[in-house]
Amino acid sequence: MTTIDKNMALTGQPPKALAPKQRLATLIGFSGLIILLLASFGIQFPNKGLWLTLSLLAIFAGVTWFTVLSYQQKSKGIKNDGVWFKSVSSMGFWGWMAGIAITGFYIVLYFFPQYLGLVKEGANTGVIALFDPLSRLLSGNPASQWFVYGTLYTVAILAFGIKFIWKYRHNRYEIIRTISVMFFQAAFAFIIPEIMARLNGSLPYYDLKNIWPLNYYNFERYRINGFISSGDIGLALLIFGILSVFVISPILTYRYGKRWYCSWVCGCGGLAETAGDAFRHLSDKTVKAWKIERWVVHSVVVFVTLMTTAVIYSYLGNDTSKYWLTKSSFLIGVASLLTLVFAWAMVFKRKQLQKDARYGAIGYFVVIMVLISMHVFSGEGNIFLFKSETLRKSYGFLIGSIFSGVIGTGFYPIFGNRVWCRFGCPMAAILGFQQRLFSKFRITTNGGQCISCGNCSTYCEMGIDVRAYAQKGENIVRSSCVGCGICSAVCPRGVLKLENGPLKGRIEAKQVLLGNDVDLMELVNPK
Ligand code: SF4
Ligand code: SF4
């Protein structure tokens, strides 16, 4: 009896099933997860430290062994074999199942931590209790849901980071970049804050690599009080927090583009690049998605700026003898800073802004109007009828929890791995604004070499149609580009190169007629 082969690929058959050893590696990895699951359902493990170690080691060993089995027999080079055939990476049944499971985990984590075993007054139970020994070892405190999350997050970045390095081992940029995100996650986000908590109990938890507006809560009253009451180290951290917004970040973005943060340092980017690598091709490349992206992400920037201004405003006073910074001078300062940035962009960078200028102008107008209104209409801590606390809570709920966690990570298998970075992250938006207007970074294209294979566009996690630029030989200077370098890594012709160079001539749109720009039928059939 003959069978019909429906596959029309010229490049060989898609992988049919996992090899026996790969199945074993998968089983080992899942056995680690099952230990955590059993603990969540209330199973008591006698020696918690031992079982936690076993669980984390099993997850780590399962992923790394699977990686070795997947790539060791193959020559160096990109191996994205069968991504559109596998159910989990092509929005198939397993993709949806994975999405639902991760989303469910985030909902419980953010809104129902008691089901993970968090007990406010008393000893933890469930899976959080399983992490108590590790937490006590590092900070001296019992675990919280955030410690459990931080540990799993770090393990995921380390294990899948090894997978990523192995997969892209032909590319030096990818190897160094991945080692960097693994280091920053393990040291700056996980170990150092825990040890700081052990050394100085009154110091607020501070992930040193999280910069405002990503850590939108950094300048809240309780944190400011915590920093100030913790002596020199607290004050140093507070100053570092301010410097990182106004000095460190602008300088690095000017020199290297936003990639220094989004692809080399940031934890969200780190998880997206490593654990989310298998889903990068799912990003939406349509012009419509690009438009939505600009509107949503810039609205989030306006929201976070308003919210932070309102929070700081609410705890300042009006008495000049008591406060060196009063409510009015603070508002004037914020309004002047925004005016300066806006005026600079409009006067010197108007040409480069194009459509974005309008969006910037609207956003800016909203911020200024609300600021002025705040000053005129607000009472102590109020903005119109809202308390600054209400604004902060709404932001924390809508953006901090729902967008960054539930949608941003839970929807990896559906919308791709950078949904949050692309549509929701205010930090990425601000860095992107600078990257577009005032940075040396660009991706150069050697258009004559391009064979229009489309690999670059397919694997661009930010949904940039890289090929369209390559075909025109035009530099890619896009706000959203996180400089991951994957477009360059997957290009078979060496067309794309990530470079830092002089500002002059960086944005040079080639006048090529594209289908997007004009309705050709209107020209063909003049009325
Ligand atoms: S254009 Fe290239 S470097 Fe930029 S985000 Fe897309 S794949 Fe990464
Ligand atoms: S991957 Fe390289 S050759 Fe293929 S379309 Fe992109 S730039 Fe052109």
Side-chain angles (χ1 to χ4, degrees):
M1 203 170 82
T2 56
T3 54
I4 300 169
D5 183 6
K6 290 184 182 153
N7 173 36
M8 296 174 71
L10 299 173
T11 48
Q13 297 294 317
K16 283 200 171 60
L18 296 177
K21 281 185 185 170
Q22 281 179 317
R23 286 185 193 180
L24 191 58
T26 311
L27 197 70
I28 291 173
F30 271 100
S31 66
L33 285 179
I34 288 168
I35 293 174
L36 299 180
L37 211 62
L38 290 176
S40 305
F41 286 116
I43 304 285
Q44 295 289 337
F45 289 96
N47 185 337
K48 293 193 168 53
L50 176 70
W51 281 97
L52 176 66
T53 312
L54 279 177
S55 161
L56 298 181
L57 279 180
I59 296 171
F60 193 82
V63 175
T64 39
W65 192 29
F66 189 94
T67 300
V68 173
L69 294 170
S70 303
Y71 302 123
Q72 73 170 358
Q73 301 295 347
K74 298 179 179 173
S75 54
K76 287 180 183 178
I78 299 299
K79 298 285 176 289
N80 280 318
D81 313 351
V83 283
W84 286 112
F85 292 96
K86 293 175 194 157
S87 170
V88 73
S89 59
S90 62
M91 288 184 282
F93 175 77
W94 289 115
W96 278 97
M97 287 295 112
I100 290 168
I102 304 170
T103 306
F105 168 71
Y106 272 96
I107 290 174
V108 175
L109 180 80
Y110 280 109
F111 307 114
F112 308 102
Q114 66 274 23
Y115 293 130
L116 295 174
L118 185 73
V119 179
K120 288 214 170 107
E121 310 287 329
N124 288 323
T125 58
V127 71
I128 296 185
L130 196 67
F131 282 74
D132 273 343
L134 181 60
S135 180
R136 286 191 198 284
L137 184 75
L138 291 172
S139 69
N141 300 320
S144 64
Q145 82 269 36
W146 302 119
F147 181 79
V148 173
Y149 179 51
T151 311
L152 294 177
Y153 201 100
T154 307
V155 169
I157 289 187
L158 295 180
F160 284 98
I162 291 174
K163 177 174 182 285
F164 190 91
I165 289 174
W166 198 267
K167 179 176 171 184
Y168 294 95
R169 63 190 188 279
H170 65 294
N171 190 306
R172 203 165 137 255
Y173 179 78
E174 297 304 334
I175 294 173
I176 300 173
R177 183 173 72 75
T178 308
I179 291 172
S180 168
V181 285
M182 289 162 76
F183 166 75
F184 277 105
Q185 176 59 33
F188 278 53
F190 185 58
I191 295 177
I192 294 177
E194 294 296 331
I195 291 176
M196 282 197 315
R198 173 179 280 271
L199 298 179
N200 191 336
S202 62
L203 209 56
Y205 175 88
Y206 196 173
D207 174 350
L208 291 168
K209 64 178 178 43
N210 261 10
I211 299 174
W212 183 91
L214 199 55
N215 64 353
Y216 55 91
Y217 43 80
N218 204 33
F219 300 113
E220 282 175 22
R221 186 197 296 250
Y222 80 95
R223 286 182 69 86
I224 302 282
N225 290 344
F227 285 131
I228 291 171
S229 64
S230 302
D232 290 349
I233 178 89
L235 210 58
L237 286 178
L238 185 58
I239 293 171
F240 174 76
I242 297 168
L243 285 182
S244 55
V245 180
F246 294 107
V247 181
I248 302 173
S249 170
I251 292 177
L252 289 175
T253 310
Y254 169 70
R255 291 186 65 91
Y256 307 110
K258 76 193 225 188
R259 58 180 164 156
W260 79 268
Y261 191 73
C262 298
S263 290
W264 287 69
V265 173
C266 178
C268 309
L271 191 74
E273 292 293 334
T274 52
D277 176 58
F279 309 109
R280 63 173 61 245
H281 55 286
L282 299 177
S283 60
D284 192 336
K285 318 292 193 287
T286 58
V287 176
K288 191 172 161 203
W290 185 10
K291 282 186 183 156
I292 296 173
E293 167 196 316
R294 286 189 300 216
W295 271 106
V296 176
V297 84
H298 290 116
S299 305
V300 174
V301 174
V302 172
F303 192 2
V304 75
T305 309
L306 279 180
M307 187 270 294
T308 308
T309 307
V311 165
I312 298 177
Y313 177 85
S314 69
Y315 61 71
L316 292 174
N318 285 319
D319 186 351
T320 42
S321 60
K322 280 194 199 153
Y323 297 90
W324 64 270
L325 186 65
T326 58
K327 281 181 188 248
S328 334
S329 50
F330 172 68
L331 275 192
I332 293 168
V334 173
S336 315
L337 183 70
L338 292 174
T339 309
L340 232 104
V341 173
F342 182 69
W344 169 81
M346 282 299 157
V347 174
F348 296 108
K349 300 286 174 182
R350 198 181 179 83
K351 267 194 207 154
Q352 285 101 316
L353 272 174
Q354 298 162 358
K355 284 185 205 161
D356 297 325
R358 266 184 287 150
Y359 304 142
I362 295 168
Y364 174 79
F365 181 71
V366 172
V367 170
I368 290 292
M369 289 312 289
V370 176
L371 277 174
I372 294 168
S373 312
M374 261 168 70
H375 193 47
V376 177
F377 297 109
S378 69
E380 190 70 21
N382 287 0
I383 302 169
F384 304 117
L385 299 173
F386 299 105
K387 271 189 169 295
S388 61
E389 181 62 11
T390 315
L391 203 60
R392 190 195 67 78
K393 277 194 179 147
S394 317
Y395 184 90
F397 175 75
L398 290 172
I399 311 295
S401 308
I402 297 285
F403 210 151
S404 80
V406 178
I407 299 177
T409 312
F411 284 32
Y412 272 13
I414 310 301
F415 297 130
N417 56 335
R418 286 270 194 178
V419 185
W420 159 248
C421 314
R422 185 179 174 192
F423 294 96
C425 177
M427 178 78 184
I430 291 176
L431 295 183
F433 181 72
Q434 192 191 335
Q435 170 162 284
R436 170 84 187 165
L437 297 182
F438 193 57
S439 165
K440 290 162 161 273
F441 175 67
R442 83 290 311 271
I443 301 176
T444 54
T445 59
N446 178 6
Q449 288 292 315
C450 177
I451 52 170
S452 300
C453 68
N455 268 355
C456 48
S457 295
T458 301
Y459 295 105
C460 175
E461 58 197 349
M462 297 304 281
I464 298 171
D465 188 1
V466 182
R467 177 174 60 179
Y469 292 85
Q471 287 169 332
K472 293 186 279 178
E474 182 182 338
N475 284 349
I476 301 164
V477 187
R478 284 278 293 268
S479 308
S480 58
C481 173
V482 288
C484 65
I486 294 298
C487 53
S488 169
V490 296
C491 175
R493 302 282 292 168
V495 173
L496 306 158
K497 196 169 176 204
L498 281 71
E499 294 185 68
N500 305 309
L503 291 180
K504 194 163 180 293
R506 183 169 156 263
I507 301 177
E508 31 155 47
K510 293 270 162 61
Q511 295 302 309
V512 174
L513 190 63
L514 293 176
N516 290 333
D517 303 332
V518 65
D519 183 351
L520 293 175
M521 291 316 291
E522 272 185 14
L523 300 175
V524 176
N525 305 316
K527 292 197 178 120

